[in-house]
Amino acid sequence: MMQPPPAGPDAPLFIVLNAGSGRDNADEARQAIEAACTQAGRRFRIFLIDGPDRIKPLAREAVERARAAGGVVVVAGGDGTINAVAQATLGSGCAFGVLPQGTFNYFSRTHGIPRDTAEAMKNLLTEQPRPVQVGLVNDRVFLVNASLGLYAELLEERETYKSRYGRSRLIAFFAGLLTVMRGHQTWRLRMAWHGQERDIRTPTLFVGNNALQMQQVGIAEAEALENGQLAAIALKETGPLAMLGLLVRGAMGRLGQADQVLSFPFESMTVKAARTRGARRLKVATDGEIGWMDMPLLFRVSPEPLWLIRPEVAPELEAAKE
């Protein structure tokens, strides 16, 4: 039986705060953090991310200091920032805390952590570390999802639209709509899992590790994510209009009912190019962050969990199951 790391009422907090979502939001979050820690008599230190190249080094420093002091590593940011700090924290022996600051906040919502920073601080200061499943692709952490092909392209272009027009769910939806209608490349992939092997032509492969997101788009394998598995979703080769129909189905929570969708649960899966002279490197998105990876890709459940400080019950996830 795995034992949770210590995170008692005297454990100091080492908080990585992303200022990228806007100065006013960052200032408000910082004030809420300082007020809650002062009121609780909790020691803390804030590491302010003031540029994209500062996330990884500050995450590593926060983890090193937390390990030395028996403290808790905390991240205040969106899913991408949470991913980077989780990558540094996994396997460190430190408890992990989240103060959500993003647009969708799937990770925090799935685990019952409030969007409001003051409320999230109450959770952080009173709850206990509980194990949370982590997905890996070539040893790169993903807490929400990992993808290649069209979905990764959609995420990359969505950031361009957000930088021009602002960060909102409506902007994200219309950015995705424009990407889908423009057309897309088809990938020939060979997937191997549970002793099975299958070749597929697909515009995108999506691997989910977030039950709330899977339930919202209507994928039946959402339950598998709470039982030590990941969920693979591949779209069969189709045209722009059919792809638009799939986008609408996903928005209505009925994606899994479409004939063009292949989905299945797994614990470990290898993905490579179906042709010998296929791609050797390709773009992979992990929790919305794009990076190049070498083929073949190995998707798997991490052998050790992330010890997240969270409530025992997540109201939004429970409501989605009904």
Side-chain angles (χ1 to χ4, degrees), residues 49-204:
I49 300 171
D50 51 7
D53 58 337
R54 296 286 292 154
I55 297 177
K56 291 182 179 180
L58 287 178
R60 288 194 297 266
E61 183 179 355
V63 171
E64 290 170 2
R65 292 185 178 275
R67 290 182 67 178
V72 178
V73 179
V74 181
V75 54
D79 284 332
T81 307
I82 292 170
N83 176 289
V85 181
Q87 180 85 46
T89 306
L90 184 68
S92 68
C94 296
F96 186 66
V98 168
L99 305 172
Q101 305 288 314
T103 304
F104 292 97
N105 298 312
Y106 273 118
F107 181 70
S108 58
R109 289 162 57 199
T110 296
H111 298 295
I113 300 172
R115 171 67 175 85
D116 179 76
T117 303
E119 291 298 316
M121 282 298 302
K122 291 180 182 178
N123 169 84
L124 182 63
L125 295 168
T126 58
E127 296 289 350
Q128 297 299 312
R130 305 180 195 275
V132 167
Q133 175 175 292
V134 174
L136 299 173
V137 51
N138 289 9
D139 295 324
R140 173 67 182 163
V141 162
F142 62 97
L143 303 176
V144 180
N145 59 60
S147 62
L148 58 95
L150 178 62
Y151 190 78
E153 180 183 344
L154 185 154
L155 292 173
E156 189 171 29
E157 296 193 2
R158 188 180 74 185
E159 290 305 309
T160 301
Y161 284 99
K162 283 184 176 181
S163 65
R164 293 178 183 174
Y165 305 113
R167 308 184 72 87
S168 73
R169 297 187 185 188
L170 187 62
I171 293 296
F173 177 80
F174 280 105
L177 182 65
L178 291 173
T179 303
V180 165
M181 293 304 296
R182 194 181 59 249
H184 45 269
Q185 177 182 353
T186 298
W187 297 83
R188 295 184 60 183
L189 302 175
R190 177 165 295 162
M191 305 184 296
W193 76 100
H194 293 330
Q196 304 180 58
E197 191 168 273
R198 177 166 181 169
D199 287 357
I200 186 171
R201 293 174 63 91
T202 180
T204 191

Side-chain angles (χ1 to χ4, degrees), residues 5-21:
D10 296 326
L13 307 178
F14 295 88
I15 303 164
V16 182
L17 171 62
N18 192 350
S21 60

